[in-house]
Amino acid sequence: MSESRQLLCDMADGLFADLAEAGFDKAWPRIEEAGFASLLIPEEQGGFGGDWGDAYAVLRIAGRHAISAPLGDTIIGHRLLVEAGIMPPAGPIGLARANGKVGYGRYCGSVVFIEDGELRLVEVATSEVFEGHSLAGEPLDRIFPVGTPLASAPCAANLTALGAFALVVQSAGALEAAFELTLEHVNTRVQFGKALGRFQAVQQAMAEFSVEAAAIDAAGQAMAAVLDKGGGLDDGAMFEIAAAKLRANMAIEKCCPIAHRLHGAIGFTMEYALNRYTCRLMDWRGDCGNDAYWASILGRRVAKLGGGSFWQEIARRSDAAAPAAPAA
């Protein structure tokens, strides 16, 4: 990890830890003041000048602390608007999912829609807003634009894929936090005269949990690496995003039951921190494409390669995403 990214992570971890249990009204002003919204905007255009690896690092920490704010959508929204030649407005920016669903939509000043190759920036105040909630109890509203958008421009980006990127990254952080909570519990909870963590069945379950969490992290870093190597926001990184989202969905399916099973009844209480992560994870599993959606995309792409080209394509993409060799 570079020195600048380490400093960025240290700042994010300190801030997000303070905001871990804060609501949107308290969390967002401090996040915006810290400048995270402009993370993917070049320095010459007034932004932080970070890359997708930096976004991965910051959003992973946000997932670990279960931040109550649309940080991922806002970071990506700023990047899309700048690339389209549109000045990003102040405040949180939402990304429109299928059927106009927007996370924290009621709190966003504006929302990015992309349809038929056109990006439209829509003001929430002049739109129809139907408030709702996700499975995790977070705001998930339907936004229907009314009238003329604030701005528009051609854009081939895939909002479902970019939304999936943010969810995979935050899932990696949330699973890590759930794993740490579970590990602490089994090492301190005594049953039949010894800590739960000393039972072989518990150790096997924790080993499976650890492997699944590591798999999401590896798949997520591959997404960021491809985007940083020039994979387009439209289709160039779709293979890695599809693989990562599907792998994340599989890991969530396995790990959430392990976490709750090993915690017993305490894991289901609202006062205990575990549900802050597992409820979000179970909601994110079906958001921005469920298992069937991403398996279909990945399967069609693999089928087109044929039996003789699959390994060559995997190797080519892995080599392309690998870090450059240091100069001699």
Side-chain angles (χ1 to χ4, degrees):
M1 182 182 294
S2 67
E3 183 178 354
S4 61
R5 184 173 295 174
Q6 184 62 61
L7 291 172
L8 178 66
C9 289
D10 291 343
M11 180 176 67
D13 195 41
L15 174 61
F16 296 165
D18 288 342
L19 301 176
E21 297 184 14
F24 173 86
D25 291 339
K26 180 180 178 182
W28 182 256
R30 294 187 60 187
I31 292 172
E32 188 167 42
E33 182 182 13
F36 287 114
S38 64
L39 183 61
L40 290 177
I41 297 178
E43 290 185 51
E44 58 270 21
Q45 293 177 281
F48 179 84
D51 57 21
W52 288 97
D54 294 324
Y56 179 91
V58 168
L59 291 177
R60 190 178 188 281
I61 295 170
R64 286 188 72 249
H65 294 293
I67 296 300
S68 298
L71 178 58
D73 283 10
T74 301
I75 289 174
I76 294 170
H78 273 69
R79 173 64 177 259
L80 291 172
L81 291 172
V82 167
E83 290 198 347
I86 300 170
M87 178 64 68
I93 298 174
L95 300 182
R97 296 166 170 79
N99 299 319
K101 291 183 178 180
V102 179
Y104 288 86
R106 73 195 70 167
Y107 298 112
C108 294
S110 54
V111 175
V112 170
F113 287 79
I114 297 180
E115 297 175 346
D116 300 324
E118 181 185 51
L119 179 151
R120 292 179 294 128
L121 181 64
V122 173
E123 186 178 19
V124 173
T126 60
S127 303
E128 293 185 356
V129 180
F130 295 87
E131 296 186 358
H133 291 87
S134 69
L135 293 175
E138 295 184 287
L140 182 60
D141 307 323
R142 299 183 71 184
I143 309 294
F144 293 95
V146 176
T148 305
L150 294 172
S152 62
C155 181
N158 187 316
L159 281 187
T160 299
L162 292 174
F165 170 89
L167 293 182
V168 170
V169 178
Q170 292 175 90
S171 295
L175 265 185
E176 180 184 33
F179 175 83
E180 291 173 353
L181 278 174
T182 307
L183 182 62
E184 180 182 7
H185 178 77
V186 300
N187 284 336
T188 56
R189 174 70 173 175
V190 175
Q191 193 76 27
F192 303 112
K194 61 181 180 180
L196 288 175
R198 295 180 61 188
F199 289 93
Q200 185 176 16
V202 173
Q203 293 173 355
Q204 290 175 336
M206 290 302 296
E208 183 178 4
F209 198 153
S210 177
V211 168
E212 294 296 320
I216 291 187
D217 197 23
Q221 291 189 52
M223 288 190 302
V226 169
L227 287 168
D228 280 329
K229 287 285 186 176
L233 298 182
D234 49 358
D235 192 58
M238 185 62 79
F239 188 95
E240 284 75 14
I241 291 175
K245 185 60 165 70
L246 181 59
R247 190 64 186 84
N249 290 353
M250 294 167 61
I252 291 167
E253 180 184 18
K254 292 181 180 180
C255 293
C256 287
I258 291 174
H260 281 282
R261 186 167 67 246
L262 295 183
H263 271 91
I266 191 175
F268 291 92
T269 61
M270 293 303 295
E271 294 80 7
Y272 191 68
L274 182 63
N275 71 83
R276 294 172 52 216
Y277 304 108
T278 55
C279 286
R280 283 177 167 88
L281 286 164
M282 289 185 286
D283 178 62
W284 292 342
R285 181 185 174 192
D287 196 4
C288 291
N290 58 17
D291 300 35
Y293 177 85
W294 290 111
S296 176
I297 289 177
L298 198 61
R300 286 197 297 269
R301 289 180 175 244
V302 170
K304 287 181 180 179
L305 293 172
S309 302
F310 176 65
W311 176 250
Q312 289 87 338
E313 177 65 9
I314 293 296
R316 182 188 70 80
R317 301 189 78 92
S318 298
D319 291 343

